[in-house]
Amino acid sequence: MKKVLSIILALVMTFSVVTLFAACSKDNAGDASTAESDLAYVQDKGKLVIGMTLFAPMDYYADENESELVGFEVEFGKAVCEKLGVEAEFQVISWEAKESELNAKNIDCIWNGLTITPERQETMSISKPYMANKQVLITKSENVDKYKTAGSLEGLTVVAEKESAGEEVVTTDEFFKGCNYTAVDSMAKAMMEVKSGTADAAVIDYVTGIGSLGEGTDYENISIVENASFADEQYGIAFRKDSDITAKVNEIIDELIKDGTLKKIAEKYKLGEQLIVE
């Protein structure tokens, strides 16, 4: 009798293990299927969640009530999503946490003046470049002639957005040797620091300067320092590593260039000369 019971118990345990393994395999297969196609994941939910920060002329609110989000990349993103057959949903993120947000699927892409670098290409799938940019030094207009040479900012406060190309420039370029560097959480914050006088200068994206500084803006007394530009670079859209959305978006970008849509959007925001159309 004990032998029979042992055999029955062994059979029950074997059946349970096989059933559990099959269930786990099925679940894992489902996860793999989702992971295999990021494009299908986005199309199934009907929206592409775009991670961004606020800075003109790329992504900003048209009025103080923050009722309408506008900008080059807002219109660009909507045009791409229309061809993808999904809705564009814009989500403000911390630039410092952008890759964590992407990998956690809180967002589906980083589309916000992202500089293409070899390091980022190792950890994310990045689209073809669509816009040329560089880093520039800004300060109050009355001081532009003071800060044109290397070392002229020694002992002074310079700010840039944390984890940005601007921060890389300030912390590595000899031009800024001896300055007191402070990281801030956005380029908008960097410009505000200069305007208020809590910073002597800032390093920001050139395209930001085009849309944010000078006559008719909130920063009429802030100017770009001539001959103080750094790090020629290109913008791309970052998706999750090995995502199949990237190739599809590249196709759509080519279509928007060919039919003139992207040029029209760029010229609307004074970015026509920065657009990469090759």
Side-chain angles (χ1 to χ4, degrees), residues 85-140:
V86 299
E87 178 186 353
E89 180 178 302
F90 297 90
Q91 183 170 309
V92 176
I93 60 170
S94 163
W95 196 244
E96 184 180 2
K98 55 188 176 296
E99 289 193 48
S100 298
E101 295 276 14
L102 182 64
N103 292 328
K105 289 193 172 182
N106 294 327
I107 57 175
D108 298 310
C109 64
I110 305 165
W111 198 334
N112 192 230
L114 179 93
T115 301
I116 300 172
T117 67
E119 293 76 18
R120 287 173 174 167
Q121 288 175 317
E122 286 292 321
T123 59
M124 298 181 286
S125 177
I126 302 180
S127 74
K128 64 184 297 180
Y130 61 86
M131 184 160 288
N133 184 48
K134 58 186 175 182
Q135 297 301 305
V136 293
L137 180 67
I138 65 168
T139 187
K140 287 186 176 179

Side-chain angles (χ1 to χ4, degrees), residues 55-110:
F55 73 102
M58 310 306 266
D59 307 272
Y60 63 102
Y61 288 110
D63 53 52
E64 293 181 357
N65 296 324
E66 300 187 353
S67 58
E68 182 185 8
L69 192 64
V70 297
F72 170 78
E73 290 190 328
V74 172
E75 294 195 33
F76 185 14
K78 288 180 178 178
V80 168
C81 284
E82 183 177 355
K83 287 183 174 289
L84 280 175
V86 299
E87 178 186 353
E89 180 178 302
F90 297 90
Q91 183 170 309
V92 176
I93 60 170
S94 163
W95 196 244
E96 184 180 2
K98 55 188 176 296
E99 289 193 48
S100 298
E101 295 276 14
L102 182 64
N103 292 328
K105 289 193 172 182
N106 294 327
I107 57 175
D108 298 310
C109 64
I110 305 165

